[in-house]
Amino acid sequence: MTSTHAFWLAGRQANGETAFDVTSPWDGRLVGTVSVPTEAQVEEAVAAAHAVIDDFSATPAHVRAAALDHVSKRLVERTEEIAQLISAENGKPVKWARGEVGRAVSVFRFAAEEARRFNGGEAQRLDTDAGGQGRLALTRRFPKGVVLGIAPFNFPLNLCAHKIAPAIAVGAPIILKPAPATPLSGLILGELLAETDLPAGSWSVLPVPNDQMPALVKDERLPVISFTGSDKVGYAIMDSVPRKHCTLELGGNGAAVVLADFASEQDLDWAATRIATFSNYQGGQSCISVQRVIADATVYDRLLPKIVAAVEAQVTGDPSDSATDVGPLVSEDAAKRVESWVDEAVQGGAKLLAGGKRDGASYAPTVLTDVPADATLACEEVFGPVLTVTKVDGEAEAFAAVNDSKYGLQAGVFTHDVQTAFRAHRALEVGGVIVGDVPSYRADQMPYGGAKQSGVGREGVAFAMDDYTYERVLVLTGLAL
């Protein structure tokens, strides 16, 4: 790892007057030192992005697509290096970090494809009434302005990609603020963008401290905000700038429902394996990790021991080891918070079947049953390797249990019945229903976002492109239609 990292100001490297250290949550070693932009440098980046709006939106599609293709290809070439960096700064097991790089490769490739076909326009005849005779409307989309992308620590490369790639695809300048705990992956994207022919000023990567974020959020030259993180911070942003366009991808309390028809040994083995894997991947630090299992009473007694065994089989330890399934959380404070929530649930009557132990920033994969409904663990997003299992009687009770949450990001429903799948799609108050699998599945081209307190708007390349733009109609008059 390098010792010092410059940031990217209007497409060029720059250094500020101060710096901060990025350390590994696994062993505390120094991963890198990152330069912090001064207020004057932040102002320079914002002014440059605002000044280039018209020029960038008019950039030919092939230029934007070529830049996106270039980043995608360079990510492939540097996969192992970047995966090791993600693992070092985030604590994510390197096998999951490699998968994250692969997803970012796809995000930039998808964006290049969308950039080539974006804004072909939609023609509409207006002579359906006499007053519109000879008139044709052509509707195209144009950027709303500069995008402020605020990324979280849990997917420090791919969620930065989900901010940057759609913005470039539509020709919207972007200022990216990576998470202070994990800025190095976002700065790598800056390296790759600097190798392209994008206009100066069209992008910046600024690792500013969180206490500087309110000023950026309120800057009128940044009319679009794309934020991924906690519901508390996300809604505080929206409340502070009610006239801005905000896309908020917030927390979840992911439920996996196992229904009565998913009852063979093979079915239950599959469900248990997927549940155990995706309640613990990324240390449980994913908005769509499995936090709640809701199992029909007819399968509960057979499923529960399979889940416990599969959770206990998760390999914990050094995230740089390819055999490791579960590494540390992002910090010791994060692990202490998870520990306190589990302890509270157990003191309230929950039964601890696996895990429940903390070692520094690491928390053992944990399974609980009989968690009180008012326990913090039941109501909030744990964002750690903790799983609760609940018994219900029938489909209606299962779906009601899923909906008994302030969150609504995604849900998984293990069933073989297509009618049940469609009933789930109608009944569940979430942004996505995954049938036959856990809620943790996400394809980067699909619409992704939630209901209730899980946010507003949708990510997914083409959907974010719509979010960053607005429709503008051109009416042509005197045509022989």
Side-chain angles (χ1 to χ4, degrees):
M1 306 300 175
T2 59
S3 58
T4 304
H5 298 262
F7 52 86
W8 294 91
L9 193 167
R12 71 179 193 280
Q13 279 191 310
N15 285 281
E17 298 171 355
T18 61
F20 65 94
D21 291 338
V22 178
T23 58
S24 165
W26 169 246
D27 56 14
R29 76 183 187 278
L30 179 67
V31 181
T33 300
V34 175
S35 187
V36 178
T38 65
E39 290 185 12
Q41 288 170 321
V42 172
E43 166 60 27
E44 183 181 348
V46 174
H50 184 71
V52 80
I53 290 172
D54 291 341
D55 288 344
F56 192 32
S57 65
T59 302
H62 71 86
V63 173
R64 287 178 275 118
L68 293 161
D69 272 331
H70 174 83
V71 175
S72 180
K73 291 172 184 175
R74 292 286 283 135
L75 286 170
V76 172
E77 294 169 1
R78 297 177 63 177
T79 292
E80 189 60 24
E81 170 203 350
I82 298 171
Q84 294 291 342
L85 179 65
I86 292 171
S87 182
E89 69 172 343
N90 172 278
K92 180 176 301 192
V94 71
K95 72 176 184 180
W96 293 114
R98 293 183 184 116
E100 180 174 348
V101 179
R103 289 181 60 187
V105 168
S106 296
V107 168
F108 278 95
R109 187 182 73 249
F110 295 150
E113 294 167 357
E114 293 293 344
R116 291 185 174 96
R117 56 177 167 256
F118 176 72
N119 228 350
E122 179 180 341
Q124 180 183 16
R125 292 180 66 136
L126 301 179
D127 61 353
T128 49
D129 288 313
Q133 187 167 334
R135 296 180 187 267
L136 182 77
L138 179 65
T139 303
R140 298 164 64 200
R141 301 190 72 88
F142 293 86
K144 293 171 179 172
V146 182
V147 177
L148 173 60
I150 304 171
F153 70 81
N154 57 328
F155 288 86
L157 180 76
N158 195 42
L159 292 183
C160 287
H162 270 286
K163 310 300 182 191
I164 291 174
I168 292 172
V170 301
I174 181 165
I175 292 176
L176 176 73
K177 180 198 174 301
T182 57
L184 300 174
S185 302
L187 293 173
I188 285 280
L189 291 178
E191 288 183 35
L192 305 185
L193 289 168
E195 298 169 354
T196 72
D197 294 325
L198 293 175
S202 60
W203 60 273
S204 293
V205 182
L206 304 180
V208 298
N210 284 340
D211 61 10
Q212 289 188 27
M213 190 167 71
L216 275 171
V217 165
K218 293 179 181 179
D219 194 307
E220 293 183 357
R221 295 166 295 178
L222 307 175
V224 180
I225 298 173
S226 178
F227 171 84
T228 302
S230 73
D231 57 324
K232 179 180 178 181
V233 176
Y235 285 116
I237 288 173
M238 177 177 279
D239 291 344
S240 72
V241 285
R243 290 178 176 80
K244 287 195 178 190
H245 179 87
C246 294
T247 297
L248 306 179
E249 196 279 281
L250 307 177
N253 189 347
V257 176
V258 184
L259 293 175
D261 71 297
F262 213 83
S264 72
E265 290 302 311
Q266 183 178 7
D267 286 341
L268 297 180
D269 286 343
W270 162 258
T273 299
R274 298 293 285 176
I275 288 165
T277 298
F278 288 97
S279 65
N280 293 292
Y281 84 127
Q282 332 285 341
Q285 297 169 123
S286 168
C287 297
I288 47 176
S289 68
V290 185
Q291 183 171 331
R292 299 181 290 157
V293 176
I294 298 164
D296 190 89
T298 60
V299 298
Y300 178 90
D301 290 338
R302 293 161 56 213
L303 176 64
L304 181 59
K306 292 178 183 288
I307 291 174
V308 172
V311 167
E312 291 179 333
Q314 295 287 299
V315 177
T316 61
D318 187 345
S320 67
D321 187 336
S322 294
T324 297
D325 298 313
V326 187
L329 276 70
V330 72
S331 68
E332 186 169 356
D333 283 346
K336 287 179 177 178
R337 178 190 54 76
V338 172
E339 179 183 42
S340 70
W341 288 13
V342 172
D343 289 349
E344 176 201 41
V346 171
Q347 291 166 10
K351 295 178 181 176
L352 182 67
L353 303 184
K357 297 184 183 300
R358 181 181 65 83
D359 181 9
S362 296
Y363 196 80
T366 297
V367 181
L368 303 103
T369 59
D370 300 329
V371 174
D374 60 351
T376 306
L377 192 64
C379 303
E380 301 293 336
E381 179 182 37
V382 66
F383 227 59
V386 177
L387 182 67
T388 68
V389 188
T390 303
K391 182 191 299 186
V392 294
D393 289 318
E395 175 188 310
E397 189 173 326
F399 290 173
V402 174
N403 290 339
D404 186 20
S405 171
K406 66 181 181 180
Y407 298 110
L409 193 48
Q410 292 197 161
V413 180
F414 288 90
T415 182
H416 296 294
D417 187 88
V418 69
Q419 296 289 357
T420 301
F422 275 90
R423 286 195 297 271
H425 197 205
R426 179 176 295 277
L428 297 181
E429 298 165 354
V430 295
V433 178
I434 314 300
V435 175
D437 206 349
V438 291
S440 317
Y441 176 79
R442 178 184 179 183
D444 291 285
Q445 71 271 36
M446 78 183 197
Y448 176 75
K452 299 190 282 190
Q453 291 189 35
S454 286
V456 294
R458 292 294 181 267
E459 289 191 342
V461 176
F463 302 92
M465 289 168 67
D466 282 347
D467 228 29
Y468 292 170
T469 57
Y470 70 99
E471 294 172 320
R472 186 187 298 168
V473 66
L474 174 70
V475 176
L476 301 175
T477 304
L479 301 179
L481 297 177

